[in-house]
């Protein structure tokens, strides 16, 4: 038989997260979703990605401005336009040819494109 300690910090943390996820809060006022949007706007993909993973139960791409920002960055990557999303240096270095220092152009999408698609989920397409 397991007894639960009512003062256990882990239980309190899980309770707060469950309440935060289930609370009906207008998405325009949701600070976490707006923070994701801010990270996307300044190109801080590592921070945006971490927060998107943590907020997955809220389906952040369903928040129109976040979904639009993710689609915009994905479109720029697919069409070959420059994007301001910054990956960590190890991932970025893998896409650079070490002989002449130019980016590879072998028709293969970079890993960040797949991360964007994963983050968009069912909201990858919008009329």
């Amino acid at each position: 038989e397991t007894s639960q300690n009512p003062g256990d910090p882990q239980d309190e943390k899980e309770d707060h997260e469950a309440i935060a996820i289930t609370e009906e809060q207008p998405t325009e006022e949701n600070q976490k979703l707006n923070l994701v949007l801010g990270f996307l706007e300044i190109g801080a993909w590592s921070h945006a990605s971490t927060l998107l993973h943590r907020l997955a139960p809220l389906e952040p791409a369903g928040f129109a401005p976040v979904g639009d920002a993710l689609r915009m960055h994905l479109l720029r990557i697919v069409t070959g336009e420059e994007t301001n999303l910054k990956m960590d240096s190890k991932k970025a270095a893998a896409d650079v040819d070490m002989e002449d220092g130019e980016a590879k152009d072998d028709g293969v999408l970079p890993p960040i494109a797949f991360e964007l698609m994963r983050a968009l989920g069912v909201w990858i397409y919008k009329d």
Side-chain angles (χ1 to χ4, degrees):
E1 180 177 298
T2 60
S3 62
Q4 292 187 347
N5 183 359
D8 186 14
Q10 184 64 27
D11 289 340
E12 289 178 17
K13 179 181 177 188
E14 290 172 5
D15 291 341
H16 291 296
E17 287 178 359
I19 291 168
I21 289 171
T22 58
E23 279 183 358
E24 291 297 321
Q25 181 179 20
T27 52
E28 298 82 28
E29 297 174 11
N30 189 309
Q31 291 178 349
K32 293 173 183 78
L33 292 175
N34 283 308
L35 183 59
V36 170
L37 182 59
F39 285 143
L40 290 170
E41 287 176 354
I42 64 169
W45 175 247
S46 62
H47 297 298
S49 176
T50 300
L51 201 49
L52 284 166
H53 288 296
R54 290 194 56 135
L55 297 175
L58 290 175
E59 299 179 340
F63 176 47
V66 171
D68 291 344
L70 289 167
R71 279 187 292 279
M72 184 224 19
H73 286 298
L74 181 60
L75 179 64
R76 285 183 175 178
I77 289 171
V78 170
T79 60
E81 295 178 24
E82 289 297 317
T83 182
N84 65 347
L85 287 184
K86 297 169 188 71
M87 298 180 72
D88 66 9
S89 59
K90 289 179 185 175
K91 288 182 182 177
D95 291 336
V96 174
D97 186 357
M98 298 312 270
E99 287 183 25
D100 57 7
E102 293 183 17
K104 295 178 184 177
D105 186 18
D106 54 5
V108 177
L109 290 174
I112 195 169
F114 296 101
E115 291 181 41
L116 286 165
M117 286 186 241
R118 191 175 303 115
L120 278 164
V122 297
W123 289 278
I124 199 164
Y125 177 78
K126 181 180 176 185
D127 283 334

